[in-house]
Amino acid sequence: MENKEKTDKKVKTGLVMEGGAMRGLFTAGVIDVMMENGITFDGAFGVSAGAAFGCNIKSRQPGRVLRYTTKYCKDWRFASFRSLLKTGDIYGAEFCYKTIPYELDLLDFEEFTKNPMEFYAVCTDIETGRPFYHKFTTGMDKDMYYFMASASMPIVSKVIEVDGKKLLDGGISDSIPIKYCEHKGFNKNVVILTQPVDFVKKPNKFLPLMKVIYKNYPEMIEDIKVRHIRYNNTTKYIKQKELAGELFVIRPPKALNIGSIEHNPEEIKRVYNMGRDTMTSLLYDLRRYLAK
């Protein structure tokens, strides 16, 4: 009976995409190769840049991330300290989440809506310190605020208020949402990391400043205190499942060495191409894993 239940269990494929600001260009390169080779998933979960860049796998737009990041990386409205001073966001919210997707390099909202792939982004509720997982529908209007919230880094971004919640970067509370992916019933999963295999996260050096800025949100501060412990426990869990053949992991072969903002198109292409090269080298293995 137990064997029959295992045989009858529906396979649901999931894709989990870590954030990391411009390290997300590695993820963009990975998913572009996936799309070009017809690799699809039943669900995808993105955090921060993993959501803002990763959403293009649902709208089926390979090349879009590289196109707009190289074109606008020198535009102060895209990402700069000037933007931080003028708008309160180091990544200009108006430009990144309205001007680009609605006017300059359109997100294909029709395809995003039509694609049956479930897509979730992780945000952090700063009043509770807990992760909030938003499931997208059209990618437009209110959905766009959740993209923004997921990628709103502490200190250099304004708090996003939507649906009565105050939200910031999902990486604070759940940097790699593999367990939530499993909780949602996805049982054949792929994780894209933006750090190499030997990376160990350290305590946040900006914690004293955060205690001042977010003094009214003690639950989030407590979360930030243990973020490195939670992150390292998650990567340990991922390695264990990977070794057992229960998870397929795609990670950069070495540290990406790109900052939170990047104005050099060649650096953007370098990290993006590292993602492409890594995924290309793993295509055969990934197909075998998904076919089991």
Side-chain angles (χ1 to χ4, degrees):
M1 183 67 177
E2 184 179 340
N3 289 337
K4 186 178 188 304
E5 287 177 357
K6 288 182 179 180
T7 303
D8 292 343
K9 188 176 182 181
K10 186 181 187 303
V11 174
K12 289 181 67 179
T13 56
L15 176 67
V16 175
M17 296 172 281
E18 183 182 9
M22 295 305 272
R23 294 199 315 271
L25 290 161
F26 175 84
T27 299
V30 169
I31 65 173
D32 279 1
V33 172
M34 287 178 173
M35 286 188 275
E36 290 162 6
N37 285 273
I39 295 172
T40 60
F41 297 88
D42 297 311
F45 301 75
V47 182
S48 194
F53 291 166
C55 67
N56 292 278
I57 197 169
K58 182 166 170 62
S59 62
R60 295 190 174 106
Q61 291 177 279
R64 180 173 174 267
V65 172
L66 179 66
R67 187 169 60 241
Y68 74 71
T69 51
T70 52
K71 186 171 183 178
Y72 299 113
C73 64
K74 294 183 179 181
D75 191 316
W76 72 267
R77 298 171 298 171
F78 180 67
S80 66
F81 287 102
R82 180 180 173 186
S83 174
L84 177 62
L85 291 173
K86 287 178 72 72
T87 71
D89 290 299
I90 200 163
Y91 278 87
E94 183 77 20
F95 189 70
C96 292
Y97 298 99
K98 293 183 181 178
T99 306
I100 289 177
Y102 287 99
E103 299 175 22
L104 300 178
D105 198 322
L106 277 62
L107 184 68
D108 190 336
F109 295 108
E110 182 179 355
E111 187 61 40
F112 187 97
T113 304
K114 186 172 63 175
N115 187 342
M117 172 194 292
E118 296 178 30
F119 193 90
Y120 296 82
V122 187
C123 310
T124 298
D125 185 325
I126 67 172
E127 294 182 309
T128 66
R130 303 300 303 155
F132 179 79
Y133 306 91
H134 176 72
K135 183 178 179 180
F136 290 78
T137 53
T138 66
M140 301 175 71
D141 305 321
K142 190 181 291 184
D143 274 356
M144 196 59 72
Y145 283 96
Y146 282 101
F147 280 128
M148 195 187 310
S150 183
S152 290
M153 297 179 288
I155 301 176
V156 294
S157 306
K158 291 183 291 189
V159 173
I160 303 300
E161 296 193 33
V162 56
D163 289 333
K165 300 177 183 64
K166 295 181 179 180
L167 305 172
L168 278 176
D169 188 351
I172 298 169
S173 54
D174 193 357
S175 298
I176 313 167
I178 178 59
K179 291 187 178 179
Y180 184 74
C181 173
E182 293 170 344
H183 169 72
K184 296 300 289 184
F186 297 90
N187 49 21
K188 175 75 71 168
N189 298 317
V190 175
V191 175
I192 305 174
L193 301 178
T194 59
Q195 297 284 12
V197 67
D198 58 351
F199 176 75
V200 177
K201 186 175 281 296
K202 297 177 181 178
N204 194 312
K205 61 183 179 181
F206 296 109
L207 182 60
L209 179 58
M210 291 185 183
K211 285 181 177 179
V212 175
I213 295 174
Y214 302 109
K215 63 180 184 296
N216 294 327
Y217 304 104
E219 296 298 332
M220 186 182 75
I221 294 299
E222 289 302 312
D223 209 45
I224 293 169
K225 283 181 182 178
V226 299
R227 181 186 177 187
H228 64 292
I229 298 172
R230 184 187 301 111
Y231 182 94
N232 295 331
N233 285 340
T234 300
T235 54
K236 181 180 179 181
Y237 175 78
I238 286 170
K239 287 175 188 175
Q240 289 171 343
K241 297 209 73 170
E242 180 184 22
L243 288 172
E246 298 172 354
L247 191 64
F248 193 94
V249 183
I250 302 160
R251 54 171 71 85
K254 59 183 179 180
L256 295 173
N257 293 325
I258 190 167
S260 295
I261 57 175
E262 180 56 66
H263 300 303
N264 184 348
E266 294 308 310
E267 277 296 286
I268 288 171
K269 292 175 186 175
R270 176 185 66 82
V271 175
Y272 170 82
N273 285 329
M274 193 181 297
R276 288 194 63 92
D277 292 345
T278 300
M279 184 65 258
T280 299
S281 71
L282 294 172
L283 268 174
Y284 176 75
D285 292 336
L286 177 58
R287 289 189 191 279
R288 284 189 63 194
Y289 169 77
L290 293 172
K292 287 180 184 176

